[in-house]
Amino acid sequence: MARLFRWLLRLAAALILLILIASGLAYYLAAQSLPEYNKQISLPGLSAPVEIIRDNANVPHIFGSFGASDEDVYFGLGYAHAQDRLWQMAVLRRTAQGRLSEIFGRRTLESDLFVRRLDIYGLSQQSVSAQSAEALQSLKAYSAGVNARILEINEDALGRGAPEMFLFNMPMAPWQPADSIAVMKLMALRSSHHLQDEVLRARTSLALADPERLQDILPDAPGKGITTLPEYASLFPGLPRYASAAPLPPKSSLFPVSPRGFGGASNAWAAAPNRSAAGGSLLANDPHLTLSAPGSWYLARMELATGGIIGGTIPGIPAILTGRSEQLGWGITASFLDDQDLFIEKLNPNTPEEYLTPQGYRTFTKRPSIIKIKDEPPVTLTLRWSENGPILPGSLFGLSAITPPGHVVSLGWTALDPHDTSLTAAIDLMRSSNVSQAIAAGEGFIAPSQNLVLADRTTIAQKTIGAFPARDARHHSKGRLPSQGWQRVNRWLGRAPYAANPEFTSPRGGILGNTNNKILQRPFPSHVSYSWGDTQRVNRWRRLMQSREVHTRDSFMEAQLDTVSYTARSLLPLIGADLWFTGGAAEDGSREKQRQTALTLLSEWNGEMNEHLPEPLLYAAWLRA
């Protein structure tokens, strides 16, 4: 017995020793992958020394020494991105390429199939030649900086560049300008939602016996809107008069389209000098995207020939998308522009590889695409495009429920442009020195569409940037429902002129802003959207802005950190009007007493959604029930 105990003790000691050795080795390898900031290195691709200084928040400040060019600073940004976010950049690129399944297996196959059908990466490669010479130089310099970090990792045996890459063997190919364009298109995909809106509206229309109720269930944003729509069943009589109850397919956390209503939101506003206590313009921006780890944004400062710029970048994209220079500040909010349409394509009953157009039947544009899957045989996908856009399968977004027999669905989307100059526009915006130059720079922006809020020393403005689809005024569904792709009146007529994009400059009240709210009412086809963000934020913002004659930096910060729910303050009196102060006194500890206590708390609550208060929980539970 004693011998057995000794052997068990030795075995336990050996196991503990092995665990300690394995843990130490894992820590050493992971630590090797973490960046070292206090060092001097010589890297290929620079024309002069570049210094990257990080502050206490680890924000990199990138300076070029005497003789350095702007390209050297972009090189430094690429290097800093790759130091801190190499894994994130690798995942974003593979998502845009439709190559996640090579690493994660079948669970990401749905994402790869969808992105390959859109051909995001192929279109990005074609868009490289559309960039301006200056932007292309910046893209190449940024790519060289990323690749210099990859080379450093490989030559100096610095692990794999990121601790995550020990868990997932993801070989890192050199970064290219097309990769940055693809990441920008991926951001557009993640913020687009009109495809899902059209499917929901069509399925709801099919489920309703009374078509007038469609406007009640899916109402327009406040303000005068469209009054009538055709029944979806009248556009496609072959469909059953009910919506399919089949559940939508489960989505991987890496699927590039956010669930409807969760695509992110944003706030931005500005005050002119006459509404500022210091006599200068003020601008605030809160571009919140879907929560992730790491987050989508990466703060950085770049010292260019035109001056210093600091603000938010997205790893993989060599541009400060929201930030400021000494002369100009700019912020962005999602515009909710209706930049997507679904088209129902009628197949030739005799030749399913042909579809109907206004000129007769034509053959789909086709090409094969092979998707490799970890530990499984590859999948060969046939990509099909009509004149309206890529063909999507019925398994996506519940499309099968709204597709008549003998038809398929195609997607029209502004981001599917082989001459996408959005990155050139973003880089030109960074180099702008005043509001008018910034507005002019926005003309080249295609997607994602944004409301650009601007402030220079004397002027504030807001301009919607991004390509507006030009539609025929006789469009059958006004872009709100999937339409017949073979009808000329439903097809896009190119891009609307940039001058038609909403623009507000130097408002008389001295303050402007956007919380994804409806910004104007224009009749179709000059409309911006029929679907907007919630209106509660703009109402609360309006009250905060109008509560004082002049604003300061602190008052803008106070507004950004405000936690009062306008919705709660509006709904509580209505919902609780017949509940409060009813019934007699109740015994302590009884359910009736708890009910009365809860109602008393709510009746005295100002709507502040503070995490230390019980009222927000009571309100949320009550509203849900």
Side-chain angles (χ1 to χ4, degrees):
M1 188 69 181
R3 178 180 295 181
L4 177 62
F5 178 77
R6 285 196 299 271
W7 276 106
L8 288 174
L9 188 62
R10 291 169 184 168
L11 182 61
L15 286 174
I16 292 172
L17 182 61
L18 286 174
I19 291 172
L20 289 174
I21 292 173
S23 300
L25 182 61
Y27 176 80
Y28 172 78
L29 292 174
Q32 286 289 95
S33 298
L34 298 176
E36 171 59 51
Y37 298 133
N38 298 317
K39 65 177 181 179
Q40 292 184 353
I41 54 174
S42 179
L43 297 171
L46 286 171
S47 62
V50 169
E51 188 175 17
I52 302 177
I53 300 175
R54 295 176 181 266
D55 59 22
N56 291 335
N58 205 34
V59 174
H61 298 245
I62 306 167
F63 301 90
S65 65
F66 180 77
S69 64
D70 283 355
E71 285 68 39
D72 293 322
V73 178
Y74 280 104
F75 180 101
L77 179 63
Y79 181 83
H81 276 173
Q83 272 189 309
D84 297 334
R85 301 287 187 89
L86 191 63
W87 168 258
Q88 182 182 21
M89 294 169 67
V91 172
L92 287 173
R93 177 168 64 176
R94 281 189 176 267
T95 303
Q97 291 174 332
R99 296 179 56 206
L100 289 172
S101 299
E102 296 177 17
I103 307 301
F104 302 110
R106 181 165 288 274
R107 59 181 169 171
T108 55
L109 180 59
E110 187 180 23
S111 173
D112 289 344
L113 291 170
F114 177 52
V115 172
R116 290 284 183 99
R117 285 189 170 94
L118 300 182
D119 196 23
I120 284 180
Y121 197 73
L123 294 167
S124 300
Q125 290 175 311
Q126 295 180 59
S127 295
V128 171
S129 60
Q131 309 308 311
S132 68
E134 294 80 6
L136 190 55
Q137 287 178 346
S138 302
L139 282 165
K140 289 180 178 178
Y142 174 85
S143 299
V146 176
N147 295 332
R149 172 60 180 170
I150 296 172
L151 179 65
E152 179 193 10
I153 292 166
N154 294 334
E155 290 189 345
D156 296 347
L158 301 179
R160 293 182 177 174
E164 296 93 335
M165 290 184 177
F166 285 102
L167 302 175
F168 301 96
N169 183 19
M170 186 184 293
M172 191 69 183
W175 196 266
Q176 301 178 35
D179 300 336
S180 296
I181 298 173
V183 172
M184 179 75 89
K185 287 184 179 291
L186 189 61
M187 294 299 105
L189 183 60
R190 287 182 170 175
S191 62
S192 299
H193 65 278
H194 290 280
L195 183 162
Q196 298 177 77
D197 284 350
E198 288 192 26
V199 174
L200 177 64
R201 188 170 291 277
R203 294 179 72 180
T204 307
S205 175
L206 291 171
L208 296 174
D210 180 6
E212 296 297 326
R213 293 206 60 203
L214 182 62
Q215 195 72 3
D216 297 329
I217 296 174
L218 297 173
D220 293 327
K224 185 179 179 182
I226 187 169
T227 55
T228 61
L229 274 178
E231 294 183 59
Y232 188 65
S234 70
L235 297 176
F236 302 100
L239 284 170
R241 288 286 307 182
Y242 55 85
S244 170
L248 297 179
K251 296 291 188 294
S252 161
S253 59
L254 294 174
F255 193 77
V257 178
S258 302
R260 185 179 180 273
F262 289 89
S266 37
N267 309 308
W269 60 88
N274 64 323
R275 294 295 301 273
S276 165
S281 300
L282 291 169
L283 186 143
N285 188 202
D286 181 11
H288 37 281
L289 298 176
T290 303
L291 291 175
S292 63
S296 299
W297 294 103
Y298 180 101
L299 297 179
R301 175 187 174 189
M302 303 169 66
E303 282 292 327
L304 302 173
T306 52
I309 307 171
I310 190 168
T313 69
I314 290 178
I317 299 176
I320 291 177
L321 301 175
T322 170
R324 60 178 172 83
S325 64
E326 291 184 3
Q327 299 84 24
L328 179 72
W330 63 97
I332 52 175
T333 65
S335 73
F336 279 66
L337 168 68
D338 187 3
D339 56 2
Q340 291 180 328
D341 273 348
L342 289 175
F343 298 93
I344 307 296
E345 309 284 5
K346 179 182 286 188
L347 301 177
N348 187 337
N350 299 318
T351 309
E353 294 307 316
E354 294 182 349
Y355 66 100
L356 188 60
T357 74
Q359 296 80 31
Y361 285 106
R362 289 193 175 178
T363 304
F364 287 109
T365 301
K366 297 191 303 180
R367 67 177 174 86
S369 183
I370 299 175
I371 299 177
K372 297 179 182 178
I373 307 173
K374 181 183 178 183
D375 300 328
E376 291 189 33
V379 171
T380 300
L381 173 69
T382 299
L383 307 180
R384 294 194 297 169
W385 284 60
S386 73
E387 294 176 344
N388 294 313
I391 304 301
L392 302 181
S395 59
L396 280 174
F397 309 109
L399 290 173
S400 59
I402 63 168
T403 308
H407 296 71
V408 292
V409 180
S410 66
L411 171 67
W413 182 33
T414 56
L416 302 178
D417 187 338
H419 307 288
D420 189 342
T421 54
S422 299
L423 256 176
T424 291
I427 291 173
D428 288 345
L429 172 62
M430 292 168 53
R431 294 171 173 164
S432 301
S433 59
N434 55 52
V435 164
S436 60
Q437 289 181 10
I439 291 176
E443 185 169 5
F445 209 88
I446 303 297
S449 176
Q450 302 286 310
N451 289 316
L452 184 64
V453 180
L454 300 159
D456 60 24
R457 296 188 184 278
T458 61
T459 307
I460 62 172
Q462 178 178 307
K463 178 71 174 182
T464 303
I465 59 175
F468 271 59
R471 297 179 176 92
D472 193 305
R474 299 166 297 169
H475 192 290
H476 288 161
S477 71
K478 295 181 169 54
R480 305 188 76 190
L481 291 169
S483 58
Q484 298 161 336
W486 61 92
Q487 296 286 350
R488 193 182 302 276
V489 295
N490 295 330
R491 294 189 158 206
W492 287 2
L493 307 174
R495 178 183 179 181
Y498 180 62
N501 289 24
E503 180 178 329
F504 307 91
T505 303
S506 299
R508 186 163 33 177
I511 289 181
L512 56 73
N514 179 258
T515 64
N516 312 121
N517 56 287
K518 185 175 183 177
I519 56 176
L520 49 72
Q521 175 68 31
R522 293 195 307 204
F524 181 88
S526 299
H527 75 309
V528 175
S529 180
Y530 290 119
S531 174
W532 304 84
D534 62 85
T535 57
Q536 58 133 343
R537 281 181 291 133
V538 73
N539 285 319
R540 179 61 181 168
W541 169 79
R542 180 188 295 135
R543 175 158 186 170
L544 291 170
M545 292 299 103
Q546 293 176 343
S547 63
R548 57 180 71 206
E549 184 175 348
V550 294
H551 282 272
T552 65
R553 177 175 176 269
D554 288 338
S555 72
F556 268 33
M557 291 172 64
E558 180 184 343
Q560 279 193 318
L561 298 175
D562 181 74
T563 58
V564 173
S565 169
Y566 177 88
T567 303
R569 295 181 66 158
S570 303
L571 291 182
L572 274 174
L574 300 176
I575 297 175
D578 58 344
L579 295 179
W580 280 309
F581 311 116
T582 59
E587 295 183 10
D588 290 342
S590 65
R591 290 179 62 87
E592 180 61 24
K593 183 65 174 180
Q594 290 178 326
R595 171 184 176 277
Q596 291 180 2
T597 301
L599 289 172
T600 300
L601 286 171
L602 289 175
S603 68
E604 298 172 353
W605 180 45
N606 69 347
E608 183 180 357
M609 305 297 277
N610 188 300
E611 69 269 27
H612 302 296
L613 297 176
E615 289 89 345
L617 291 175
L618 292 170
Y619 165 72
W622 182 20
L623 208 59
R624 179 177 295 177

